[in-house]
Amino acid sequence: MRPADLTPVEIADLLTEAYSQDRRGHGSLKLDTRTALADYLGCDEDVRAEEAAEYWLDVEFIQPCPRDQAHA
């Protein structure tokens, strides 16, 4: 799975699944999919611009992207 090839709806579906796993303790998102998505979104400033999404991505889902790995 390449997150860059996903549509916004597909990304939203994966985030919904990840959020469900975090909040409810169950879900079917595989670790490699979650990791790839986290790496992609952690470096995407457009996604991180919304405060609620940024908090969840930074604190609960992933760590912020190091500056030297940020997408141009």
Side-chain angles (χ1 to χ4, degrees):
M1 184 218 44
R2 286 181 25 105
D5 295 337
L6 298 174
T7 67
V9 171
E10 292 169 325
I11 290 173
D13 287 344
L14 290 173
L15 287 175
T16 298
E17 185 67 23
Y19 186 83
S20 178
Q21 283 179 325
D22 289 352
R23 292 290 186 227
R24 296 180 187 94
H26 60 82
S28 61
L29 193 63
K30 294 179 182 176
L31 181 58
D32 61 335
T33 300
R34 182 183 177 98
T35 301
L37 183 62
D39 289 345
Y40 176 71
L41 295 176
C43 296
D44 188 327
E45 291 301 321
D46 291 336
V47 172
R48 297 167 44 75
E50 187 177 328
E51 286 184 36
E54 183 178 2
Y55 176 82
W56 183 72
L57 286 171
D58 285 348
V59 177
E60 297 182 27
F61 187 63
I62 58 170
Q63 294 298 311
C65 184
R67 289 194 179 277
D68 61 336
Q69 292 181 9
H71 294 269

